[in-house]
């Protein structure tokens, strides 16, 4: 069969695209392909917010009681959730949250439309006679499959797969704005920790944050550029701990006072890319492909906007694709209400750049790490 849309990547962006397609035109078919390990916005799927509340009530996600930051000065500036009209945020168990989204995509499928989600890995993509052929590999059996569609959506996130990334195979280029890295480690403690804030701290060569996670764990993350001398040091457990205790004041204090330590036997810290990037182009309407989420535009984690931006963009892309497919396939739609995908991402990119400069300009350090983000 030929699906209306094949979406590769079942993170927030891919799931929101699938759910929006379903919501705006339930007659359209999609195939959602994701290779994440299997584990155990209510606008898109009402069951989602119940599932989120349920998972929070049993302690799998935890409430965030506010944000504290030592950014423009050494002292902590606090913003309490009780003062926020939206209430408290959540420290998510990301694997569980993403699985909830994927479950919602499967739950909303009607019997007559053959939309589905499969656990396969994207390998390659090509166009034959105006139809996309997406080649995948089954995660367990390693058998190859081919799925055909009118449109393809790259929602594979920021990482390049070992087979080369989907977006590059579509002919697009990733333009990196910087080379920010995130070094992160989990810490464990047997003592009670009642601090449920997110704490951010600027230092000479980068910035740190920590949040308490479910099940007595705390995550500590250090962000710096790949060519900063501290990046080499942060790769090793001792170096990471030295930087943590010598460069931070408040985060170090939390770790020491509550007797946190690295989990025995675990290999921390891990390192992941965390820089800003944009895909050029983000979509090609003639060829019928587009990217969404981090695959289209990846943000600095300082923004804390990655998930919400991925969900919003997925809603937008899902709705826009239903309009285009209606016009292209059966002439039921009208081109009047069609919005430009490129303009949507341009506006999102400009908002992000303005805010990013604002926050980096207000940090109290002037070293190279900070100076290059203020240009
Ligand atoms: C250090 C760090 C901290 C962050 N902190 C925050 C935060 O506090 N708040 C926030 O909102 N955002 C945060 N973000 C950003 C946020 O994680 C991303 O913006 C968000 O996950 C983007 O969603 P996505 O669906 O585009 O991509 P992803 O979440 O990366 O999902 C991509 C999906 O595609 C699948 N996939 C990839 N390749 C293939 C393939 N070849 N075949 C099949 N499937 C594939 C993956 O398994 C995955 O399920 C942070 C990012 C970093 C790096």
């Amino acid at each position: 069969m030929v699906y209306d849309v094949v979406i590769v990547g079942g993170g927030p962006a891919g799931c929101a695209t699938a759910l929006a397609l379903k919501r705006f035109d339930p007659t359209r078919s999609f195939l959602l392909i994701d290779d994440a390990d299997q584990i155990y916005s209510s606008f898109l799927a009402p069951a989602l917010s119940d599932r989120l509340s349920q998972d929070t009530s049993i302690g799998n996600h935890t409430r965030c009681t506010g944000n504290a930051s030592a950014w423009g000065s050494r002292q902590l500036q606090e913003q309490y959730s009780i003062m926020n009209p939206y209430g408290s945020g959540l420290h998510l168990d990301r694997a569980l949250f993403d699985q909830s989204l994927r479950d919602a995509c499967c739950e909303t499928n009607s019997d007559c439309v053959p939309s589905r989600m499969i656990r396969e890995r994207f390998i390659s993509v090509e166009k034959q006679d105006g139809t996309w052929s997406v080649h995948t590999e089954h995660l367990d059996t390693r058998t190859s499959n081919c799925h055909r569609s009118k449109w393809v959506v790259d929602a594979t996130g920021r990482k390049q797969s070992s087979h080369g990334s989907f977006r590059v195979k579509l002919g697009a280029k990733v333009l990196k704005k910087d080379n920010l890295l995130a070094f992160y480690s989990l810490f464990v403690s047997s003592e009670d920790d009642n601090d449920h804030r997110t704490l951010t701290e600027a230092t000479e060569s980068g910035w740190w944050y920590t949040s308490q996670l479910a099940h007595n764990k705390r995550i500590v993350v250090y962000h710096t550029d790949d060519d900063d001398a501290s990046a080499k040091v942060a790769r090793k457990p001792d170096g990471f701990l030295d930087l943590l205790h010598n460069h931070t004041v408040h985060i170090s204090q939390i770790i020491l006072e509550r007797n946190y330590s690295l989990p025995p036997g675990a290999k921390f810290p891990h390192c992941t890319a965390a820089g800003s990037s944009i895909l050029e182009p983000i979509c090609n309407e003639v060829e019928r492909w587009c990217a969404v989420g981090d695959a289209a535009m990846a943000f600095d984690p300082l923004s804390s906007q990655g998930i919400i931006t991925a969900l919003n963009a997925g809603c937008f892309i899902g709705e826009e694709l239903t309009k285009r497919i209606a016009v292209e396939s059966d002439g039921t739609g009208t081109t009047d209400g069609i919005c430009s995908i490129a303009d949507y991402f341009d506006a999102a990119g400009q908002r992000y750049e303005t805010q990013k400069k604002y926050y980096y300009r207000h940090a109290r350090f002037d070293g190279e790490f900070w100076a290059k983000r203020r240009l």
Side-chain angles (χ1 to χ4, degrees):
M1 74 164 286
V2 178
Y3 291 95
D4 285 310
V5 188
V6 163
I7 304 160
V8 183
C15 291
T17 306
L19 291 167
L21 269 167
K22 215 54 199 157
R23 183 176 167 94
F24 287 104
D25 189 348
T27 66
R28 298 297 164 203
S29 59
F30 67 80
L31 176 70
L32 181 62
I33 301 170
D34 191 79
D35 69 352
D37 285 344
Q38 208 165 23
I39 48 149
Y40 38 102
S41 96
S42 62
F43 165 73
L44 291 168
L48 253 182
S49 78
D50 291 346
R51 166 94 183 253
L52 210 54
S53 312
Q54 214 178 6
D55 285 339
T56 307
S57 71
I58 57 173
N60 287 331
H61 307 302
T62 52
R63 295 239 163 250
C64 171
T65 53
N67 292 323
S69 65
W71 196 258
S73 76
R74 267 175 82 89
Q75 279 71 44
L76 280 184
Q77 307 289 316
E78 306 226 30
Q79 286 176 315
Y80 301 102
S81 298
I82 200 166
M83 305 301 285
N84 187 330
Y86 297 108
S88 56
L90 290 175
H91 298 301
L92 292 173
D93 175 329
R94 266 306 295 280
L96 184 65
F97 175 70
D98 288 7
Q99 188 59 44
S100 314
L101 289 170
R102 289 191 284 272
D103 290 347
C105 292
C106 299
E107 277 157 17
T108 51
N109 293 344
S110 74
D111 292 340
C112 48
V113 182
S115 296
R116 60 195 185 108
M117 206 224 114
I118 53 171
R119 287 186 65 234
E120 291 184 5
R121 180 163 299 125
F122 164 82
I123 303 292
S124 65
V125 64
E126 68 198 335
K127 209 161 190 193
Q128 289 167 339
D129 306 325
T131 305
W132 289 106
S133 295
V134 179
H135 301 278
T136 56
E137 179 184 84
H138 192 278
L139 293 185
D140 305 321
T141 60
R142 294 286 175 99
T143 47
S144 305
N145 286 314
C146 177
H147 312 282
R148 301 180 66 219
S149 65
K150 296 173 190 161
W151 276 81
V152 285
V153 175
D154 181 354
T156 53
R158 67 163 81 218
K159 277 189 203 145
Q160 301 261 346
S161 98
S162 53
H163 300 285
S165 71
F166 190 7
R167 68 212 82 151
V168 173
K169 288 187 172 158
L170 291 169
K173 250 172 131 171
V174 180
L175 306 180
K176 282 187 174 185
K177 303 270 178 88
D178 58 61
N179 287 316
L180 190 72
L181 295 177
F183 296 91
Y184 61 95
S185 184
L186 279 181
F187 284 80
V188 287
S189 170
S190 53
E191 292 185 19
D192 279 349
D193 182 352
N194 294 322
D195 189 341
H196 294 283
R197 301 169 301 175
T198 295
L199 202 152
T200 308
E201 202 168 340
T203 63
E204 186 65 50
S205 52
W207 61 276
W208 296 72
Y209 82 81
T210 182
S211 299
Q212 195 189 153
L213 304 178
H215 315 301
N216 296 334
K217 293 194 185 93
R218 182 170 272 284
I219 186 155
V220 176
V221 191
Y222 173 50
H223 305 82
T224 193
D225 285 323
D226 65 349
D227 57 354
D228 192 279
S230 66
K232 213 171 163 191
V233 181
R235 285 182 193 278
K236 306 214 171 79
D238 288 349
F240 184 83
L241 290 174
D242 275 354
L243 289 172
L244 166 65
H245 294 302
N246 292 320
H247 288 202
T248 75
V249 177
H250 306 280
I251 298 179
S252 166
Q253 197 177 334
I254 289 181
I255 296 298
L256 294 175
E257 279 180 0
R258 289 165 175 103
N259 278 320
Y260 276 105
S261 56
L262 295 174
K267 285 193 183 140
F268 285 113
H270 293 305
C271 177
T272 187
S276 308
S277 64
I278 184 163
L279 194 66
E280 182 54 47
I282 284 177
C283 67
N284 185 329
E285 305 229 5
V286 177
E287 290 294 323
R288 297 190 189 147
W289 67 260
C290 68
V292 66
D294 279 9
M297 208 177 257
F299 291 174
D300 187 316
L302 183 64
S303 71
S304 288
Q305 293 291 303
I307 297 173
I308 191 69
T309 306
L311 290 171
N312 282 336
C315 290
F316 171 78
I317 292 294
E319 181 178 4
E320 286 305 314
L321 293 192
T322 59
K323 294 182 202 164
R324 285 159 174 77
I325 293 164
V327 174
E328 290 159 4
S329 357
D330 41 32
T332 53
T334 143
T335 51
D336 288 354
I338 289 183
C339 303
S340 159
I341 294 175
D343 286 356
Y344 175 91
F345 282 104
D346 269 357
Q350 278 171 26
R351 274 196 307 275
Y352 164 69
E353 287 297 335
T354 310
Q355 287 176 5
K356 182 178 152 194
K357 267 193 194 125
Y358 174 86
Y359 284 105
Y360 275 109
R361 276 183 186 149
H362 282 77
R364 68 184 188 284
F365 295 98
D366 296 315
E368 203 187 331
F369 175 85
W370 300 97
K372 56 172 115 149
R373 287 170 168 78
R374 289 169 183 162
L375 298 172

